[in-house]
Amino acid sequence: MEVFILKIEDPGCFWVTMKGCGPHIVDEIEYKNLNAEMNQFYDKSYKGVDEVKPPMIEEGQICVVFSEELKCWCRAVIKSIMYCTDHYQVECFLVDYAKCVFVKSKDIRVAREAFMQIPYRAKKCRLYRTKPVTLRIDFCEDTAKIVPAKRWDSAATQYFQNLLKGTTQMKAKLCAVKDNVFDVFLYVTVKDEKVCVNDDLVSKNFARFEEAKENTGSSAGYQENQMSLNVESLPEKIVNPALAFRPVLFEEKIPTNLETGLAVSSSFLGEIYQRSSADVNENTSSSFQNLSEERNFVFLSKKIEPSSVLETAPLFDDLKKELTRRKFLGPNFAESYCWPPVARGCDIVAISHQGNDPFLYIPPLLTFLQLGSCYEALPNRGGPLALIVCPGWKKAQLVFDLLKTYRRCSRQLHPMLIILGQNKGEAGSMKIQGCEVVVTTPYSLLRLFEHHSLLFYRLCHLVLDEVEILFSEATQQVLTILDYYKKAIITEKREYSPHQIIAVGTRWNKHIAYLIKEYMKDPYVVITAMEEASIYGNVQQVVHLCTNSERTAVLLKILDFTRNNLQKVLVFTNSVNEAEMVHEALKSNSIFSLKIHKESESNFKHILEQWIKRYSSGSHVVLVLTDDCLQSLGITDATCVIHFSFPSARIFGQRLHSMSNNFCNVSKDSSVDQEYTNAKSVILLTENSACDALGILRYLQHAEAEIPPELHDFTTKMLEAEEDKKFSRPLCTYLKTFGICKNRTMCPDRHQIILQIDVPQNIPDKITVTRGCVTILPLHIVNATNYFGRIVDKEKDPYTILAEEINEYFKKPSNKICVKNVEKLAVYGLCEKMLFHRVQVVEISPKEEKLFFSVRIKYIDEGRTGQVQSHQLLDLPARFQHLPPQAVEFVVCRVKPIDNEIEWNPKVTEYIHYKIKGKLHEAKIVHALGNTAWIDPMIRVARLADLKVSINEYNVRSEILSTGLGTDNPEHLTQLQKLCGHTRVLHRAKNLEPLSVKEDTTGPENASNPQNMSIQENSTENCNSSKITFENHPCDGVAQTKEAEDCTLHPRKSFYPEVKWFQNEDTVTVKVKTAASIADCKCEFSKEKVVFSACSGDKLYLADMELHQYILAEKSTYVIKDKEAIIVLAKEEKRAWCKLLKTKNPHVSFDFEHWEDFEDKSPFPVGTKKLHRTAAVTEELVDSSEDSGTESDE
């Protein structure tokens, strides 16, 4: 028969119109008559338009629409439905012309039966037994070969199109019809030469022939296929003969009510769980789809056909090729359900354990953005089409990098990453013209909007990445953005443009329900985490604390039903014996119950029939079962689940799934009272499951459920015990840097001060001057406020002398002896850029059998870490190892990142790195713990030799604030002081033997002092075996642990120390002496009082001193020197004190050794701006520096 091409997609999909004779071929005159009749009917029915408008529309529905291009009414099939402000934009496929058009839902008409009597004019065809191939290149074997493919190559499609364009005549031989698609041999005449297109594609290696299947192509089969084309022999289920050859565009049908936009018939709330006894062996559910092999569950508000294979995923071909090239294995479970709605431009909320992965939305969003025709109606003014809002700069950078990675396979979208600080000029100078995708954060977006009022003018796609974090960290900002977006899309100019909100995350949040109700229209809700689906469904969570022996009594109390509606209860047990025991207990208490477990499979059908049969209102059905039966039963209509035995996390979700039909749709009605919800989950928490109490508490808090006071008290003690188990971990970096850790329960590091670890030990004495002015040299910049470096003595720096000696020693080639046996924690020499450094081995590669192997080292005088080969390490003589490691960690106080960020933006870190690295700075140490010193301020002082003056070049904290990416953090030191106020002392000294500060392999910012590394070998092992600090396991003996703590922290008796004092014009110096070395010390200053406390040996010393005169508390300080504490009090008024205390104390006396020279000497430069020579202080704290007068003059 002769054919004419209407549309070509590829050799496996093209549309033709046929001429000739046959049951499936209609003369063109009939189609012309049909068009005339349709035009006459629908043009005249404009007055009674409601009579010919469909009451609802759905994908795949047959209708009639008006084509502006053809200027006539045409039969069509609805291909997709998109919501646009106040109406639906519908994509329709014209079945007689093989064209796609977009129309408003109000312009769709009902297809009359009289107009559907003849088949569609456009016939969908494919080349018979001709399958695609592709060239596969193996770079490893350096070979290339042609292999079968699942999709047609673009070169094959282009050749096929060119071949058909150049033909003068085209004929087709019909071989089969399958799924309303014609399989044909296609013949074309090119330059008077007849060519079989099927053979031509194969001969040119664009395709291959598929092997003939049994009976395929036989005369009988051909006659059968020919008969199937006869309209009169169509199956009975096809009422309309025109449906025989209409294109099968979608498997899914999602009816949509045009007035309300609510899903009907397919909605999980619109379907009732019904199953007859004949269906007992089927596992069906209307709202959940179950992949039994993987045991994955997904909650859907509307049905979605997942795209689990990349070849069939709704992505454009070039993107699929790029993903394949990058070894992308295909969409995971969550992506297979999220991609189809996103690619069709629909609103979607996706909650999944993989909800923080941008791949949930980036590939399908890029696919939709390729449809340039969808945005033709938008204004030409500048502004993005898509806006991706991320919770922080780090996530925004990740998303932006992904967009850059895949931009080469898409049209030019010119994505931009916009992170703005608080400097107003920065936002005003930002240019966004030509950018179609913007990645940013909520705060940065609002700053940008202040200067770019048309930012939302063309916006079609709004993505909320990690939506639960956005709503928890920036609630008002996100709601403001949503309001701006809502106002922008309601204008008439945006009537025909797509409108889409995509919200993805890992946890459900109450604000998401508000997002759905106020800003979305008929969205898809996809939840692959069952525990989150239960929160969405407003399942009431109840916890009963009881002993293991009391469970049965508690269960009977729970089953004392009071409601009048039908109750279907599942009681889950862990074993057959437990199921039998519970069943007998219920039976003996006259409670009707069923039971099922693996040993009662013979009763399976009977039990299920009893469960699913109809019961009257007020009936109560109880089924006792084990978890291994749940999958086979397929129950989804339970009203209550009782966890008689505690479940694992995976089993917990499966149990909740059994109530899915009774989940409330809180996104439609947020006023549902949880007390009267249809679904309820009851957990019996016993001593056997006490270790899971923390997880239950967090889940109840997340679900905003009622928490029993007993559970709260118990978990509080457990949290304390969990924190105690972290004693071998380094002090939390966030605590040190910002004074607070936002996620203490999940943070692996320590959040309490432990005396034996955090009081400076075996480190330079300079760091013990907790409130002294020092000169520091930052050498390794971790971030904007955290550095490693050295404290420098300008007169006679011991490390400078040592470095000169080491470099002089290694100048002789004979001294450069490579280490043969590398030992962990040993100190060696290393040459780097002609300079030699002391390094300590912290980790050795396990492949030591090789001649050379890599080792991880720490530069003990600089604080940085690195990786070197073992042969690079040099023997370091013992005389070069006597000086303790010089690296000290410095933290700049009272500044933090803006916008609730927890990490510094790299822009700030790079700026500070360039400004301060390797340069001497003057700093005041305001606090010290372990090997960390908190400094405030840190100033670069420039000395002008010619003028003999010094000037402050810059203040590091001020420089950070000037970038606009930092803000004031006034609570930093306050939080640290509170932390130090709860200092812990380990119970026994002998427990310190296995104790260590664990070396943090992630970076130097958490690295411990190398001097303490010799005792860290067994710390992890001891922690895992629970043989730590306390004699009992924290989970089993919280009370004993607390008692041991109290005994240590609060001794029964305290002693008043010996106190001597002297004064000068500005200060009063108080010397406190103890019998032994001071191990733990605190000194609190107020205007008229000083409270000193310290542990020394087995005694606690306490001196509560009410002063005779007032002091300046903020300028007063103290320092520890072996058995002596020296306290320097800054006088409020410069005058002599006649006595120290208001009342006489026999332990307090005047220090007559300083009677003659007190006027000129003081260990600290209190209240002045002169620099302090720390070396002099550490040598003899009560001697003054000889240069003090000179520095004061400067």
Side-chain angles (χ1 to χ4, degrees):
M1 68 187 75
E2 190 174 0
V3 297
F4 296 92
I5 294 292
L6 295 176
K7 182 180 180 181
I8 299 174
E9 288 189 5
D10 55 52
C13 181
F14 56 94
W15 280 267
V16 303
T17 178
M18 299 179 176
K19 285 188 177 182
C21 299
H24 50 280
I25 300 176
V26 178
D27 194 271
E28 282 292 317
I29 297 177
E30 294 193 35
Y31 287 112
K32 290 182 180 180
N33 295 335
L34 174 65
N35 278 347
E37 293 176 8
M38 290 171 59
N39 291 334
Q40 184 179 12
F41 175 80
Y42 291 106
D43 285 343
K44 288 183 178 182
S45 61
Y46 67 92
K47 293 182 179 179
V49 67
D50 291 337
E51 298 179 3
V52 292
K53 283 183 63 176
M56 62 169 45
I57 58 173
E58 60 179 345
E59 293 174 354
Q61 179 179 333
I62 306 166
C63 62
V64 174
V65 298
F66 185 79
S67 170
E68 294 290 346
E69 179 186 355
L70 301 173
K71 303 299 181 184
C72 65
W73 291 91
C74 307
R75 298 185 297 178
V77 172
I78 296 176
K79 189 175 180 180
S80 65
I81 305 170
M82 291 182 294
Y83 175 71
C84 297
T85 311
D86 58 349
H87 71 280
Y88 288 94
Q89 186 80 358
V90 182
E91 182 184 10
C92 296
F93 182 82
L94 306 183
V95 295
D96 294 322
Y97 302 96
K99 294 177 180 288
C100 286
V101 296
F102 287 90
V103 298
K104 292 183 179 180
S105 56
K106 64 182 180 180
D107 295 329
I108 294 176
R109 303 292 182 263
V110 173
R112 291 185 61 200
E113 191 71 23
F115 300 145
M116 305 302 294
Q117 297 304 311
I118 60 176
Y120 296 161
R121 176 172 173 267
K123 308 293 192 297
K124 188 177 181 180
C125 302
R126 62 186 169 208
L127 298 182
Y128 180 56
R129 287 177 52 194
T130 307
K131 302 298 179 183
V133 296
T134 189
L135 185 66
R136 179 178 295 170
I137 300 175
D138 192 327
F139 292 99
C140 297
E141 299 181 3
D142 197 21
T143 60
K145 56 183 178 180
I146 295 175
V147 296
K150 294 187 177 181
R151 58 182 182 273
W152 286 93
D153 191 83
S154 57
T157 302
Q158 186 65 44
Y159 179 80
F160 180 65
Q161 291 175 339
N162 294 338
L163 185 63
L164 299 189
K165 285 181 182 178
T167 183
T168 56
Q169 188 180 28
M170 192 181 311
K171 291 188 176 182
K173 179 181 178 181
L174 183 60
C175 300
V177 177
K178 184 179 181 182
D179 297 330
N180 298 330
V181 180
F182 292 77
D183 289 318
V184 298
F185 276 111
L186 192 61
Y187 300 92
V188 297
T189 302
V190 180
K191 297 181 180 179
D192 298 328
E193 182 180 353
K194 193 173 185 180
V195 178
C196 176
V197 178
N198 306 55
D199 294 336
D200 192 49
L201 288 175
V202 173
S203 65
K204 289 183 171 54
N205 290 327
F206 286 124
R208 63 181 177 85
F209 274 126
E210 186 180 44
E211 293 295 330
K213 298 179 182 178
E214 186 179 357
N215 294 331
T216 301
S218 65
S219 58
Y222 181 77
Q223 290 295 330
E224 182 179 348
N225 287 324
Q226 289 284 356
M227 289 299 294
S228 69
L229 301 179
N230 193 328
V231 175
E232 296 179 359
S233 62
L234 291 172
E236 294 182 4
K237 66 178 182 179
I238 300 180
V239 178
N240 192 328
L243 298 182
F245 303 115
R246 70 178 179 89
V248 182
L249 299 178
F250 289 91
E251 296 293 335
E252 298 297 334
K253 294 183 179 181
I254 306 178
T256 306
N257 186 302
L258 294 180
E259 296 180 0
T260 64
L262 304 180
V264 297
S265 113
S266 292
S267 171
F268 78 99
L269 291 175
E271 294 188 5
I272 301 175
Y273 184 89
Q274 293 178 340
R275 207 165 4 159
S276 64
S277 58
D279 298 326
V280 293
N281 292 323
E282 294 183 7
N283 194 9
T284 62
S285 173
S286 60
S287 60
F288 285 79
Q289 298 180 9
N290 175 22
L291 303 183
S292 58
E293 294 181 0
E294 300 180 2
R295 290 181 177 268
N296 286 327
F297 295 92
V298 58
F299 174 91
L300 303 174
S301 62
K302 297 190 292 182
K303 192 174 182 182
I304 300 173
E305 187 65 28
S307 299
S308 55
V309 182
L310 182 60
E311 285 76 6
T312 60
L315 310 179
F316 63 99
D317 289 341
D318 289 342
L319 180 55
K320 290 181 182 178
K321 291 178 182 178
E322 183 67 17
L323 290 171
T324 303
R325 190 179 72 83
R326 294 180 177 275
K327 310 296 183 184
F328 182 71
L329 300 178
N332 59 33
F333 184 73
E335 291 166 351
S336 67
Y337 282 93
C338 293
W339 284 6
V342 175
R344 285 161 45 190
C346 302
D347 288 347
I348 180 174
V349 172
I351 304 297
S352 168
H353 293 305
Q354 296 82 35
N356 55 359
D357 186 356
F359 245 70
L360 278 179
Y361 60 85
I362 284 182
L365 180 60
L366 288 176
T367 300
F368 195 94
L369 288 169
Q370 303 310 302
L371 305 175
S373 59
C374 294
Y375 309 105
E376 291 177 353
L378 292 173
N380 294 326
R381 299 182 185 180
L385 297 175
L387 182 61
I388 302 176
V389 183
C390 301
W393 68 263
K394 203 166 188 178
K395 182 58 179 292
Q397 184 69 56
L398 172 64
V399 172
F400 179 67
D401 290 341
L402 282 174
L403 291 174
K404 288 196 301 182
T405 299
Y406 295 100
R407 68 181 174 183
R408 73 175 191 175
C409 62
S410 65
R411 71 180 182 89
Q412 293 299 317
L413 299 173
H414 306 288
M416 283 184 66
L417 173 65
I418 298 179
I419 304 295
L420 297 176
Q422 295 176 334
N423 295 338
K424 295 183 179 180
E426 186 180 3
S429 61
M430 185 68 63
K431 304 296 182 184
I432 59 173
Q433 280 74 16
C435 166
E436 296 194 0
V437 180
V438 168
V439 185
T440 185
T441 63
Y443 295 93
S444 295
L445 179 61
L446 293 180
R447 293 185 189 112
L448 182 66
F449 183 70
E450 290 179 5
H451 298 270
H452 296 270
S453 57
L454 300 179
L455 183 64
F456 292 85
Y457 200 59
R458 302 177 72 244
L459 187 63
C460 296
H461 310 275
L462 177 61
V463 181
L464 302 178
D465 194 305
E466 296 191 61
V467 63
E468 77 282 3
I469 300 179
L470 286 172
F471 274 125
S472 61
E473 298 288 339
T475 308
Q476 291 303 319
Q477 288 75 16
V478 174
L479 293 177
T480 302
I481 292 169
L482 288 167
D483 286 335
Y484 287 150
Y485 176 73
K486 187 176 182 180
K487 292 176 183 177
I489 64 176
I490 61 175
T491 61
E492 293 184 5
K493 295 179 181 179
R494 303 289 302 275
E495 191 174 7
Y496 295 100
S497 61
H499 307 141
Q500 182 182 39
I501 298 179
I502 302 169
V504 298
T506 57
R507 307 181 79 190
W508 181 260
N509 183 294
K510 63 181 180 181
H511 295 289
I512 301 177
Y514 181 76
L515 167 69
I516 292 174
K517 290 185 63 178
E518 297 297 326
Y519 301 101
M520 291 183 168
K521 189 67 174 181
D522 197 21
Y524 286 84
V525 178
V526 179
I527 306 179
T528 61
M530 280 306 309
E531 60 275 12
E532 299 301 321
S534 68
I535 298 175
Y536 168 89
N538 204 19
V539 174
Q540 183 183 2
Q541 300 288 346
V542 180
V543 174
H544 289 281
L545 274 70
C546 59
T547 63
N548 201 53
S549 58
E550 295 173 341
R551 284 187 302 168
T552 304
V554 174
L555 175 65
L556 294 174
K557 186 177 180 180
I558 295 171
L559 293 177
D560 185 13
F561 299 104
T562 57
R563 298 186 187 181
N564 295 324
N565 54 330
L566 174 63
Q567 293 291 299
K568 303 182 82 171
V569 183
L570 294 177
V571 181
F572 286 98
T573 61
N574 275 344
S575 65
V576 174
N577 292 337
E578 199 171 60
E580 291 286 350
M581 181 269 293
V582 171
H583 178 66
E584 289 299 323
L586 297 179
K587 187 177 179 181
S588 61
N589 282 270
S590 303
I591 298 176
F592 172 70
S593 64
L594 308 168
K595 69 174 179 180
I596 185 73
H597 48 73
K598 60 183 178 181
E599 294 182 7
S600 59
E601 293 179 355
S602 57
N603 297 328
F604 185 87
K605 185 175 180 179
H606 169 71
I607 295 297
L608 194 51
E609 286 177 347
Q610 290 292 316
W611 177 268
I612 64 176
K613 76 177 185 179
R614 294 184 179 278
Y615 293 92
S616 60
S617 178
S619 300
H620 307 128
V621 183
V622 180
L623 174 59
V624 183
L625 72 162
T626 53
D627 291 308
D628 48 15
C629 300
L630 181 59
Q631 190 76 7
S632 302
L633 290 169
I635 293 176
T636 57
D637 64 338
T639 59
C640 179
V641 163
I642 299 176
H643 308 273
F644 188 80
S645 56
F646 197 83
S648 64
R650 181 179 64 85
I651 295 298
F652 184 64
Q654 292 186 13
R655 291 179 177 181
L656 294 175
H657 164 258
S658 61
M659 298 185 290
S660 57
N661 278 19
N662 290 307
F663 282 5
C664 297
N665 190 357
V666 294
S667 64
K668 305 298 182 185
D669 182 13
S670 59
S671 63
V672 177
D673 191 339
Q674 196 175 49
E675 184 179 353
Y676 300 102
T677 53
N678 294 328
K680 185 176 181 180
S681 171
V682 182
I683 299 174
L684 304 185
L685 191 61
T686 69
E687 68 275 15
N688 294 341
S689 52
C691 290
D692 296 297
L694 280 176
I696 291 297
L697 174 68
R698 291 166 188 157
Y699 183 68
L700 292 178
Q701 290 171 338
H702 175 41
E704 297 184 356
E706 182 179 351
I707 301 175
E710 301 87 355
L711 177 62
H712 199 279
D713 295 341
F714 179 73
T715 51
T716 300
K717 295 178 181 178
M718 284 194 67
L719 285 171
E720 294 175 359
E722 286 291 319
E723 191 63 40
D724 290 339
K725 292 197 297 185
K726 299 177 183 178
F727 78 99
S728 63
R729 295 288 303 168
L731 191 63
C732 174
T733 304
Y734 296 109
L735 270 183
K736 292 193 290 187
T737 309
F738 307 125
I740 188 172
C741 178
K742 290 186 177 181
N743 196 4
R744 296 182 63 151
T745 56
M746 302 303 293
C747 179
D749 291 332
R750 178 165 49 90
H751 300 90
Q752 58 183 351
I753 304 300
I754 296 179
L755 179 64
Q756 288 88 338
I757 297 175
D758 294 313
V759 168
Q761 296 177 359
N762 299 325
I763 59 176
D765 289 339
K766 299 184 181 89
I767 197 69
T768 64
V769 186
T770 55
R771 287 182 182 239
C773 294
V774 294
T775 301
I776 66 172
L777 180 67
L779 297 169
H780 173 60
I781 312 303
V782 179
N783 56 48
T785 56
N786 187 220
Y787 332 121
F788 281 84
R790 295 198 305 272
I791 297 177
V792 178
D793 187 336
K794 292 182 180 178
E795 290 187 346
K796 190 177 180 181
D797 185 47
Y799 176 76
T800 303
I801 299 172
L802 176 68
E804 292 174 356
E805 293 176 355
I806 292 175
N807 281 277
E808 189 66 30
Y809 172 79
F810 282 118
K811 279 184 179 179
K812 297 181 181 180
S814 59
N815 291 335
K816 297 179 182 178
I817 304 172
C818 294
V819 179
K820 294 182 179 180
N821 298 318
V822 179
E823 298 180 2
K824 188 175 181 181
L825 304 181
V827 177
Y828 302 106
L830 176 69
C831 182
E832 185 180 80
K833 297 180 180 179
M834 303 301 293
L835 295 176
F836 291 87
H837 304 268
R838 297 192 301 171
V839 298
Q840 184 178 42
V841 176
V842 294
E843 187 178 347
I844 301 176
S845 171
K847 300 179 181 179
E848 292 189 43
E849 65 274 3
K850 293 185 178 180
L851 181 60
F852 302 118
F853 51 90
S854 62
V855 294
R856 185 167 176 267
I857 59 169
K858 179 174 181 178
Y859 296 75
I860 61 175
D861 299 312
E862 295 184 13
R864 60 190 171 100
T865 60
Q867 198 92 5
V868 298
Q869 292 295 310
S870 59
H871 65 85
Q872 295 178 260
L873 300 177
L874 304 175
D875 249 335
L876 190 68
R879 69 176 185 272
F880 297 137
Q881 300 184 33
H882 290 318
L883 185 69
Q886 296 295 292
V888 177
E889 183 182 16
F890 301 107
V891 178
V892 175
C893 298
R894 298 188 300 113
V895 63
K896 63 181 179 179
I898 60 172
D899 304 341
N900 293 325
E901 295 275 8
I902 61 173
E903 295 186 46
W904 284 105
N905 191 298
K907 293 180 183 178
V908 192
T909 300
E910 291 171 9
Y911 174 71
I912 297 299
H913 180 277
Y914 172 79
K915 205 164 188 70
I916 73 171
K917 185 179 180 182
K919 300 177 183 178
L920 291 174
H921 292 74
E922 307 301 330
K924 182 177 181 181
I925 299 177
V926 295
H927 199 73
L929 287 173
N931 198 42
T932 304
W934 283 263
I935 53 180
D936 186 21
M938 175 181 172
I939 299 173
R940 169 70 171 168
V941 178
R943 300 186 182 276
L944 306 179
D946 295 339
L947 300 177
K948 296 183 179 181
V949 296
S950 300
I951 61 171
N952 293 344
E953 188 176 332
Y954 59 80
N955 183 318
V956 174
R957 180 175 177 274
S958 299
E959 290 296 309
I960 295 173
L961 293 174
S962 69
T963 64
L965 295 170
T967 188
D968 190 34
N969 183 16
E971 298 298 319
H972 189 179
L973 283 176
T974 305
Q975 294 294 335
L976 285 174
Q977 290 166 358
K978 287 181 180 179
L979 192 67
C980 294
H982 297 85
T983 301
R984 284 284 315 281
V985 182
L986 294 182
H987 187 47
R988 295 181 181 178
K990 66 180 182 181
N991 285 333
L992 290 176
E993 294 178 2
L995 177 65
S996 70
V997 180
K998 186 175 179 181
E999 176 69 20
D1000 190 349
T1001 59
T1002 60
E1005 59 269 21
N1006 290 329
S1008 61
N1009 178 15
Q1011 289 287 349
N1012 297 332
M1013 291 180 183
S1014 60
I1015 55 174
Q1016 71 178 251
E1017 296 275 305
N1018 301 320
S1019 62
T1020 304
E1021 178 182 349
N1022 289 329
C1023 185
N1024 292 338
S1025 62
S1026 299
K1027 296 179 181 178
I1028 58 173
T1029 308
F1030 310 109
E1031 297 177 353
N1032 298 307
H1033 191 281
C1035 203
D1036 299 328
V1038 175
Q1040 294 91 324
T1041 298
K1042 189 67 177 177
E1043 183 179 348
E1045 264 186 62
D1046 294 340
C1047 182
T1048 305
L1049 291 174
H1050 306 287
R1052 295 179 180 177
K1053 186 176 181 181
S1054 62
F1055 298 85
Y1056 205 106
E1058 178 186 355
V1059 178
K1060 290 188 176 184
W1061 70 283
F1062 60 92
Q1063 62 178 316
N1064 62 17
E1065 183 180 2
D1066 299 318
T1067 64
V1068 174
T1069 303
V1070 180
K1071 299 169 71 174
V1072 182
K1073 294 185 178 181
T1074 59
S1077 296
I1078 297 176
D1080 179 26
C1081 177
K1082 283 175 55 181
C1083 193
E1084 298 178 0
F1085 300 96
S1086 62
K1087 187 175 182 179
E1088 54 186 3
K1089 192 175 186 180
V1090 176
V1091 180
F1092 172 86
S1093 61
C1095 289
S1096 179
D1098 58 349
K1099 296 180 179 179
L1100 173 64
Y1101 289 92
L1102 178 63
D1104 189 350
M1105 297 176 283
E1106 190 172 1
L1107 302 173
H1108 173 63
Q1109 298 288 343
Y1110 293 152
I1111 64 171
L1112 300 174
E1114 66 276 8
K1115 292 187 178 182
S1116 301
T1117 186
Y1118 74 100
V1119 65
I1120 306 301
K1121 182 72 173 180
D1122 194 20
K1123 302 178 183 180
E1124 188 177 68
I1126 300 178
I1127 305 172
V1128 180
L1129 309 176
K1131 296 179 179 179
E1132 187 178 75
E1133 297 182 5
K1134 294 183 178 181
R1135 63 180 181 179
W1137 288 16
C1138 61
K1139 56 182 179 178
L1140 178 67
L1141 306 181
K1142 281 186 176 182
T1143 57
K1144 188 174 181 179
N1145 189 307
H1147 301 283
V1148 180
S1149 62
F1150 188 83
D1151 189 354
F1152 287 94
E1153 293 180 1
H1154 296 80
W1155 174 259
E1156 297 179 353
D1157 57 354
F1158 73 87
E1159 294 181 355
D1160 301 320
K1161 297 182 181 181
S1162 176
F1164 298 104
V1166 180
T1168 69
K1169 296 183 179 179
K1170 61 186 178 181
L1171 300 177
H1172 182 258
R1173 302 284 185 176
T1174 311
V1177 175
T1178 53
E1179 289 294 324
E1180 184 60 52
L1181 288 174
V1182 295
D1183 287 345
S1184 299
S1185 171
E1186 296 177 358
D1187 311 3
S1188 59
T1190 304
E1191 294 185 2
S1192 177
D1193 293 337
E1194 293 181 350

